[in-house]
Amino acid sequence: MMLELLIGLCLLGAFVVFVLPDEYAPKAALGISLAPLAVALYMYSQFDGAGNALLGGDIAFESQYAWLTLGRYDVTWHMGLDGISMPLVVLSALLTTLAILASWTPIDERHSQFYGLMLFMEAALIGVFGALDFLVWFVFWEAVLVPMYFLIGVWGGARRKYAAIKFFVYTNIASIVMFIGFFGLVFGLGDSISSLDLPAIAQALRADELGSLGLLSAGQVATLAFVAMFIGFAVKVPVVPFHTWLPDAHVEAPTPASVMLAGVLLKMGTYALLRFNFTMLPEQAAALAVPIALLGVISIIYGALLALAQSDLKRIVAYSSVSSMGYVTLGLVAYTLYGVGGATFQMVSHGLISGLLFACVGVIYNTTHTRTVGDMSGLADKMPVTVGAFIAGAFAYMGLPLMAGFAAEFFVFVGSFGAAFAGAPIFTAVAMFGIVIVAGYLLWSMQRTLFGPFRSETDYEVVPAAVHDVVPLLVLIAFIIALGTFPYDLAFDMILDATEPVLETGGEVAATYGGVP
Amino acid sequence: MAIEPPLAAVAPTFVLAVTALVLFAFDSIDPDSSNNPVLAGIAFVGSLASMGVAAVYLVSGVGSPATEVYGGQLVVDDMALFFQFIFGSVTALVALASYDYLQDLRYQAEYYILLLLAATGMSLMASAGSLAVGFVALELASLPSYALVSFLKEDRGSVEAGLKYFLIGALSSAVFAYGISLVYGATGSLLLSDVATAVGGSGLPGVLGVGVLMVLGGFAFKTASVPFHFWAPEAYEGAPAPVSAFISSASKAAGFALAFRVMVVAFPIGSVVGAIDWVLAVQILAVVTMTLGNFAAATQENVKRMLAYSSVGHAGYVLIGLAALTGTGNADIVLGSGMIHLLVYGFMNTGAFLFIALAEYWGVGRTFEDYNGLATRAPLACVAMTVFMFSLAGLPVGGGFVSKYYLFAGAVNAGVWWLALVGAVNSALSLFYYSRVVKAMWIEEPAEGVDVSSYPATLYAAVIAAAVATVVLLPALGLFSGIAFDAAAVFF
């Protein structure tokens, strides 16, 4: 019942905050959000899951109740966590609390609605990572869209309406493509499953029980479903060329929403890729490995080059997310122990680091009222703590050792270098070059904005940031360093334990395609 | 005189009729009374009681096996009770909301009487066991509706809408009645079960085929399906908003209740396929109806008209309930899904129109622009409207998501996957125009000159109650779906 408690706390909190008068909402929201955070951390400390939830592992905090029945198919409220979802649940709870704290300065209207939506989104996000039944999962998956639509549309920048609609329409159409793909699999499985339970479906697919559907053979069904689901999730990740909604959404979104968007929402896409595409259909993943890896590498390099071309700090960070999520895609498609594990670790690590960078840009914008690189310089003298946090975040992004980004990217590169698909070392080498570009644009923009003599093109006086602005930055840095220093103890052991079964049964598959995992 | 025991089974209908009579009595004792709370109260309590009786009967199993009254002219089974539950709840919501809406209007007693009489007709439609009763019930439901639509006598739009509704209604009644006579000519009976036994051996397949098609046309009118949908946007737009809510939710459900029973019981597709393949006709109807409704809705500038066209679109979704009866099994799921969608629709669509009533009460205009920034003035009501819009679009914030899922999955199971695909694409498209309302309310800057100073208590309560029901139906639909599938399974 722990997961239900977690979701229930967020929903109840969202309602309470929504009906509170505006002046009490910020502090109430912070106080309330500490409760799910505490529960999540407690669950993390008590975590006793083993193996992969979808492949017959021991599921922690499991609960299952009947919900609906449609003919043959039972839908149950099935929740539970394994080593992949546990860190992401903690990440969701942590970032929500920090994003709420980071909202105090920039959000200046309709407080109770804003904070209510943040807590509602937290509930939906935890639901996405905790659900083990397709329909329940899909309910949460779609429910995430609604608060984010409002967060961008109401509190966003000048082009917020356009960005909000674009976000909503893109991701909703992607959901439907994915939904159709998944149901192709369900109908193809025919009598071998009797529910929409994800573990049951995953195991049936692994046991090769997929049958033909109409004129399509089993193999064609699987391939089409894989492609449909991949497209659906790739929009969320986002993988180039499905990324165009992201810069708009990010730039227009208010800082806290950007933190959540980059920190957790993008992870929904890669999480789902891992759970559905790579866990359920390893043969198709192996067959399509080269094109997927190509998309991943293009995302890395192209995203980084786009970031290099921007002059708006927030756009730089936004495009760098395209690049960083490319590493996740590459790690997943490598289909090796370190590749898949590293990709999962990168989800957590990128959540923290990009959250930190967006929060920093937000604080800088609050005080200078500009995000244009050319409009400011020498901020380091005026706001040393924020600038220090920004430098820490940038170094983490570039993969400085002892920080989370280094561990994550290192695992991914080790994993993808030894991958079985054709040309894996070359893909990896090209991807590694992405880090050079990352270092390039981050150092370049930092050098121009943070250092040198102080100058500001805006009329605002630059003052040191408030305590509640800085606290989230410091907490995030602490987590990034902790995760980079003790990656195995804190998360990677847990993750490997859950990702290994994905490969074990798929090992045979990978071998047929010319290699061993 | 002791009431013949089976007659007690018709109680949900009786309660509505008696409530109408009580209102009559109240009005004739004190004809000049404008004692609104009493009138609205009687109507509300009566319809709530009808809903309650239907619910109790459903749970206690009065409808299974079916009780036949008057030699089968009336049938009380789970399906009838299920629909009577929908009519009761919608009528109660509308009666509640009308209290504030009618505040300063004349002829209030007549309004509630007409409302209850129409509800009685709908309730009767759901349990009609013969084509004759079906026709009479349809007229009993329709005639008060015409008057209700033109209730705002000073408003030209309202009168015009009523006239249009009446003329098309009269025409389709004639078509329907002629269809019945042809069916009678071919089969020699009006009782649904007798028709069913006769259709297989009918010596006049051509006559029967035309008859079935014309009967289908009558249903298309009542459910606002293409090609008899033209009246709907006009009538919904011109009518007082609570009446729009009533006829677009309850009256549509009543049309489907009768259609489901008549088509499935009297013309089982297996035995009439020689005369006419009405399932194919309904499939075409479903695709055209949902597509046309959705595209027309997407081009509207007026929120009420948009909802009217979207209501046409939803008729198309529910038609899947008949269109997927391909005889390949799963018939109970398909039909039951249609019933479930109508249940959820009863709350979300009624709620949406009642929100419009609320906006009209506040003097807010009817276009999307007029709704700009309404959320800053009435956040709770706008949350409710957001729930209705997203649930109608099929996002999982309300029961609409699951009921659409049932419909589409049922269609795929029955082998008509293309129908589900058209439905899913339409559903995705509909998000565009539903979210326009949401965008206007929450994201656009507030318009000037709108004053939301007073909160009409009962109208507000009705909107919130509908929203709560819509949301609660998402997790709780499992309970209702079992009842609906069981009710539908009896027919096959």
Side-chain angles (χ1 to χ4, degrees):
Chain A
M1 290 306 288
M2 294 298 280
L3 270 166
E4 285 80 358
L5 174 70
L6 203 52
I7 294 170
L9 278 174
C10 300
L11 285 179
L12 191 69
F15 180 75
V16 168
V17 171
F18 188 84
V19 295
L20 273 182
D22 273 355
E23 64 224 79
Y24 303 117
K27 285 185 176 143
L30 177 68
I32 289 168
S33 77
L34 289 175
L37 177 61
V39 173
L41 288 172
Y42 174 76
M43 286 166 75
Y44 174 78
S45 73
Q46 299 293 312
F47 178 76
D48 61 350
N52 187 299
L54 263 52
L55 299 172
D58 286 331
I59 301 168
F61 312 109
E62 189 176 12
S63 59
Q64 193 164 14
Y65 307 97
W67 182 25
L68 305 166
T69 306
L70 176 72
R72 278 207 302 283
Y73 300 113
D74 290 326
V75 175
T76 54
W77 171 267
H78 191 187
M79 303 289 280
L81 298 178
D82 65 0
I84 297 171
S85 39
M86 185 72 242
L88 291 168
V89 168
V90 176
L91 179 74
S92 309
L94 175 71
L95 279 183
T96 307
T97 301
L98 297 180
I100 285 174
L101 199 54
S103 315
W104 285 12
T105 308
I107 302 302
D108 50 8
E109 54 166 357
R110 294 159 85 173
H111 288 116
S112 49
Q113 292 168 16
F114 179 89
Y115 293 101
L117 286 171
M118 290 290 279
L119 288 169
F120 180 79
M121 187 157 70
E122 180 181 7
L125 286 167
I126 291 171
V128 168
F129 297 126
L132 291 175
D133 180 279
F134 179 76
L135 210 67
V136 178
W137 175 85
F138 190 75
V139 166
F140 286 120
W141 174 268
E142 290 285 284
V144 172
L145 293 184
V146 176
M148 190 43 97
Y149 169 70
F150 287 121
L151 288 176
I152 297 174
V154 177
W155 292 272
R159 289 168 67 241
R160 61 183 185 276
K161 292 169 200 167
Y162 168 77
I165 289 280
K166 191 169 176 181
F167 163 78
F168 206 34
V169 171
Y170 257 64
T171 49
N172 191 54
I173 289 176
S175 296
I176 285 171
V177 173
M178 176 273 293
F179 193 87
I180 292 171
F182 183 80
F183 267 84
L185 285 181
V186 170
F187 291 125
L189 281 170
D191 290 334
S192 51
I193 51 159
S194 61
S195 69
L196 296 181
D197 201 42
L198 292 176
I201 290 171
Q203 285 161 42
L205 285 168
R206 285 249 162 162
D208 248 354
E209 282 168 15
L210 190 65
S212 57
L213 190 66
L215 297 172
L216 301 170
S217 70
Q220 286 167 323
V221 172
T223 306
L224 287 176
F226 185 93
V227 171
M229 294 197 297
F230 183 83
I231 291 175
F233 299 138
V235 170
K236 200 78 129 203
V237 172
V239 175
V240 175
F242 306 109
H243 68 289
T244 57
W245 62 271
L246 179 96
D248 286 310
H250 260 318
V251 172
E252 299 306 324
T255 302
S258 295
V259 171
M260 295 304 289
L261 190 60
V264 198
L265 261 69
L266 304 188
K267 275 74 210 172
M268 288 163 59
T270 47
Y271 172 80
L273 274 179
L274 171 57
R275 284 284 197 222
F276 289 80
N277 289 53
F278 291 96
T279 301
M280 293 182 181
L281 299 168
E283 291 188 31
Q284 280 64 35
L288 294 168
V290 173
I292 295 174
L294 195 63
L295 285 180
V297 171
I298 290 175
S299 297
I300 294 171
I301 301 295
Y302 184 65
L305 287 175
L306 283 175
L308 191 62
Q310 304 303 318
S311 59
D312 179 320
L313 269 184
K314 207 170 178 185
R315 274 186 175 270
I316 294 176
V317 182
Y319 278 111
S320 74
S321 285
V322 176
S323 178
S324 290
M325 295 309 284
Y327 292 120
V328 182
T329 316
L330 183 66
L332 288 176
V333 77
Y335 220 67
T336 55
L337 189 57
Y338 279 91
V340 178
T344 312
F345 192 82
Q346 166 81 342
M347 292 182 210
V348 183
S349 141
H350 177 256
L352 296 169
I353 300 173
S354 67
L356 171 62
L357 280 183
F358 273 114
C360 287
V361 173
V363 175
I364 291 175
Y365 179 72
N366 290 339
T367 45
T368 63
H369 290 261
T370 180
R371 291 192 304 249
T372 311
V373 172
D375 283 356
M376 50 188 160
S377 75
L379 292 180
D381 293 341
K382 299 282 180 178
M383 37 197 309
V385 181
T386 311
V387 166
F390 192 85
I391 296 170
F395 280 158
Y397 229 106
M398 294 177 230
L400 202 72
L402 291 186
M403 296 178 101
F406 171 76
E409 281 162 20
F410 182 71
F411 293 144
V412 168
F413 291 140
V414 169
S416 68
F417 200 78
F421 62 84
I426 299 167
F427 281 115
T428 312
V430 177
M432 284 167 103
F433 184 69
I435 297 197
V436 179
I437 312 178
V438 172
Y441 65 73
L442 282 175
L443 288 172
W444 186 59
S445 58
M446 284 198 316
Q447 184 248 325
R448 294 207 297 164
T449 55
L450 309 183
F451 305 115
F454 172 74
R455 180 178 62 85
S456 171
E457 299 283 309
T458 52
D459 295 335
Y460 293 94
E461 193 190 349
V462 175
V463 288
V467 173
H468 61 254
D469 287 331
V470 177
V471 167
L473 310 183
L474 299 181
V475 173
L476 280 170
I477 293 173
F479 270 87
I480 290 166
I481 293 178
L483 211 56
T485 318
F486 304 103
Y488 280 90
D489 297 333
L490 288 176
F492 204 50
D493 276 339
M494 193 185 268
I495 290 171
L496 284 183
D497 184 42
T499 47
E500 208 173 4
V502 177
L503 307 167
E504 266 174 13
T505 28
E508 206 182 344
V509 174
T512 21
Y513 286 90
V516 268
Chain B
M1 187 187 76
I3 292 179
E4 187 190 349
L7 217 50
V10 199
T13 313
F14 266 143
V15 170
L16 290 172
V18 168
T19 310
L21 293 177
V22 168
L23 284 165
F24 256 128
F26 183 83
D27 189 46
S28 44
I29 292 167
D30 187 3
D32 296 326
S33 165
S34 54
N35 198 346
N36 202 355
V38 175
L39 293 168
I42 294 173
F44 177 66
V45 170
S47 39
L48 211 58
S50 167
M51 178 190 102
V53 173
V56 170
Y57 279 10
L58 264 179
V59 174
S60 60
V62 169
S64 47
T67 311
E68 295 197 343
V69 189
Y70 300 127
Q73 296 289 331
L74 283 183
V75 182
V76 178
D77 56 8
D78 281 343
M79 189 175 102
L81 292 170
F82 189 87
F83 276 107
Q84 281 157 357
F85 177 79
I86 300 177
F87 306 142
S89 52
V90 171
T91 313
L93 282 174
V94 171
L96 188 63
S98 301
Y99 167 72
D100 284 312
Y101 193 85
L102 295 181
Q103 206 79 68
D104 302 316
L105 296 172
R106 290 174 65 206
Y107 304 115
Q108 298 198 352
E110 286 77 359
Y111 174 90
Y112 290 107
I113 292 166
L114 291 170
L115 186 72
L116 265 295
L117 281 177
T120 311
M122 292 167 189
S123 186
L124 209 55
M125 278 166 84
S127 55
S130 88
L131 288 168
V133 175
F135 181 73
V136 172
L138 185 92
E139 289 305 302
L140 179 56
S142 298
L143 288 168
S145 304
Y146 305 145
L148 282 172
V149 167
S150 42
F151 185 73
L152 301 174
K153 295 204 307 178
E154 312 295 325
D155 181 340
R156 268 193 62 195
S158 176
V159 176
E160 214 177 288
L163 187 65
K164 194 161 188 178
Y165 188 20
F166 173 66
L167 287 176
I168 301 179
L171 174 73
S172 64
S173 283
V175 171
F176 188 59
Y178 192 51
I180 291 176
S181 72
L182 291 181
V183 171
Y184 182 76
T187 62
S189 177
L190 285 175
L191 209 59
L192 299 184
S193 47
D194 290 352
V195 171
T197 45
V199 282
S202 167
L204 299 164
V207 173
L208 180 67
V210 175
V212 172
L213 261 191
M214 294 183 107
V215 168
L216 208 54
F219 297 141
F221 160 71
K222 204 66 202 161
T223 57
S225 305
V226 176
F228 292 101
H229 69 287
F230 291 106
W231 61 274
E234 310 290 333
Y236 295 171
E237 195 200 349
V243 174
S244 313
F246 185 63
I247 53 174
S248 70
S249 311
S251 164
K252 177 168 288 180
F256 276 114
L258 188 60
F260 284 175
R261 187 184 300 278
V262 169
M263 300 317 281
V264 171
V265 175
F267 312 116
I269 187 66
S271 40
V272 293
V273 80
I276 177 173
D277 186 1
W278 60 260
V279 166
L280 181 68
V282 176
Q283 283 173 354
I284 296 167
L285 221 60
V287 168
V288 177
T289 303
M290 61 176 116
T291 311
L292 201 135
N294 271 307
F295 274 95
T299 57
Q300 299 304 316
E301 282 306 316
N302 176 322
V303 178
K304 214 170 166 187
R305 267 186 101 77
M306 179 280 280
L307 270 184
Y309 276 110
S310 95
S311 159
V312 174
H314 275 271
Y317 299 139
V318 180
L319 277 175
I320 292 179
L322 281 176
L325 295 176
T326 47
T328 52
N330 291 307
D332 55 332
I333 293 177
V334 174
L335 200 61
S337 306
M339 291 164 62
I340 293 163
H341 191 66
L342 285 169
L343 171 71
V344 181
Y345 187 72
F347 287 104
M348 59 191 180
N349 189 59
T350 310
F353 272 110
L354 292 185
F355 179 87
I356 288 184
L358 196 60
E360 284 181 6
Y361 181 92
W362 283 327
V364 177
R366 287 179 171 183
T367 63
F368 286 99
E369 281 74 35
D370 293 326
Y371 280 58
N372 284 357
L374 211 55
T376 53
R377 296 187 166 119
L380 209 55
C382 288
V383 169
M385 185 62 169
T386 308
V387 167
F388 300 140
M389 289 295 107
F390 283 156
S391 184
L392 282 167
L395 285 189
V397 293
F401 166 70
V402 185
S403 62
K404 271 192 189 172
Y405 159 75
Y406 274 142
L407 275 173
F408 298 157
V412 174
N413 262 338
V416 277
W417 54 269
W418 51 272
L419 207 56
L421 200 65
V422 174
V425 169
N426 264 303
S427 199
L429 185 88
S430 71
L431 184 63
F432 165 72
Y433 58 81
Y434 286 125
S435 66
R436 273 186 81 187
V437 181
V438 176
K439 176 167 161 262
M441 291 191 305
W442 293 92
I443 294 178
E444 301 290 345
E445 294 302 321
E448 291 299 316
V450 176
D451 181 29
V452 182
S453 49
S454 61
Y455 288 88
T458 64
L459 193 48
Y460 221 86
V463 170
I464 301 297
V468 170
T470 305
V471 172
V472 168
L473 276 175
L474 176 62
L477 211 56
L479 298 173
F480 289 92
S481 58
I483 297 172
F485 292 143
D486 289 345
V490 177
F491 294 117
F492 304 101

